[in-house]
Amino acid sequence: MDKIKILVVGCGNMGTSHARAYHKLPGFEIAGLVSRKPESRERLSKELGGLPKFGDFKKALAATRPDAVAISTYPDTHAAYVRESLEAGAHVFVEKPIALTVEEAQALVDLAITKEKKLVVGYILRVHPAWTKFVETAQTLGKPLVMRMNLNQQSSEEQWYTHKQLMRSMSPIVDCGVHYVDIMCLMTGAQPVSVSAIGARLTEEISAGMYNYGQLQVRFNDGSVGWYEAGWGPMISETAFFVKDVIGPKGCVSIADEKKGDSDDIEGHTKTGGLILHFSELDSNGKFIKKDVLVSTEDEPDHDGLCLLEQEYFLKSIQKDLDLTNHLSDAVNSLKIVLAADKSFRTGETVHL
């Protein structure tokens, strides 16, 4: 089978990890690297043995005529780049979110179906072995579920600069929240029915209409509930910045946060430190029957390893013509939830889905 020529768009943290994956996988051949920052594309090209470099996406697309495009740029460019790539006849891998509106996301999904091209959205937690176990364990706890998750980041220097760039188009609970509400939906297997949110603008370094701290609450039609909290900036607390906890009638399962490091450590965002499983059953004396269980996750992949798993899935979706209907439906659904949270924050009212 011929190699799939892929154009890598964006040479930051995610784009670099994905490019390394394409470089390693024999089914792909990198046709070029695109970045608005000359130093970024130069660095990555040199690391991977010398690759064609471009500063303009449209020129790169026309020059390389790729079979596939990987998009890891700022979110406000995603929809346009996905559309142009699909129109050019390429399969697409795009970092979340697929677009900035539900309508635009659905239109891109429809276009991919019409063009008979694969469109994969970068939900990295879906390929994570420990998170897969986390979801599977949560599904054994009965209903309803109470899902508590956050990812706060005390950022400075380059990381704070990146966060401010991201907040030109979306808040932390929208940008990161799609990952975690997607996990909640997988755990419950139920439909979200309403979303509420609160938030605060903690700095004048962002626009008056933006907020760098937020929390959303989502209700499901099986009685399950979940909350997600995210904050970015130099003022954010590192106390309890990483909470991943699910409670059900039969007990609870949590991702242990040992050895998490600093909250702005990208590598630490996917590290789990193990799963703690607690059982609620009591004996006739009111004592717990079972002891808590610690499930080791010491052999989990690092960030580059997870991106490799994502790209193996993307490659398989193309080569094996996988049906991505559920994948894309879930991507649109999670976006719908976090955008409803953003609307709730701005209106002060609960949004019914």
Side-chain angles (χ1 to χ4, degrees), residues 170-185:
M170 62 180 55
S171 74
I173 60 169
V174 174
D175 180 76
C176 294
V178 288
H179 280 306
Y180 300 100
V181 298
D182 179 58
I183 291 295
M184 292 179 192
C185 291

Side-chain angles (χ1 to χ4, degrees), residues 132-292:
T132 299
K133 181 67 174 178
F134 185 42
V135 171
E136 291 172 349
T137 304
Q139 292 170 340
T140 70
L141 299 178
K143 292 289 187 72
L145 294 176
V146 175
M147 298 163 287
R148 311 188 301 164
M149 302 186 191
N150 75 357
L151 182 60
N152 291 310
Q153 297 176 60
Q154 186 184 94
S155 56
S156 60
E157 300 179 282
E158 281 298 309
Q159 188 67 24
W160 178 224
Y161 170 79
T162 298
H163 282 154
K164 286 186 287 186
Q165 293 297 110
L166 286 167
M167 285 186 286
R168 293 171 62 181
S169 57
M170 62 180 55
S171 74
I173 60 169
V174 174
D175 180 76
C176 294
V178 288
H179 280 306
Y180 300 100
V181 298
D182 179 58
I183 291 295
M184 292 179 192
C185 291
L186 290 176
M187 287 175 167
T188 65
Q191 291 297 313
V193 294
S194 66
V195 184
S196 304
I198 55 173
R201 178 175 177 258
L202 300 173
T203 174
E204 294 186 357
E205 292 187 58
I206 59 177
S207 68
M210 183 51 67
Y211 51 107
N212 64 310
Y213 170 84
Q215 186 198 67
L216 65 83
Q217 305 88 39
V218 56
R219 301 168 183 83
F220 293 86
N221 65 357
D222 66 349
S224 296
V225 295
W227 62 255
Y228 175 71
E229 173 193 63
W232 293 338
M235 74 296 293
I236 298 299
S237 171
E238 289 198 323
T239 299
F241 68 83
F242 186 97
V243 175
K244 307 292 183 293
D245 187 38
V246 182
I247 305 165
K250 297 179 182 180
C252 59
V253 62
S254 313
I255 292 182
D257 62 356
E258 293 96 341
K259 302 176 182 177
K260 274 284 165 278
D262 295 329
S263 61
D264 66 345
D265 174 23
I266 300 298
E267 193 70 45
H269 295 174
T270 52
K271 289 291 184 183
T272 60
L275 301 180
I276 301 172
L277 180 57
H278 169 74
F279 305 93
S280 64
E281 189 178 2
L282 304 174
D283 64 17
S284 58
N285 296 317
K287 295 182 179 180
F288 289 116
I289 293 175
K290 297 180 181 179
K291 293 183 178 180
D292 291 359

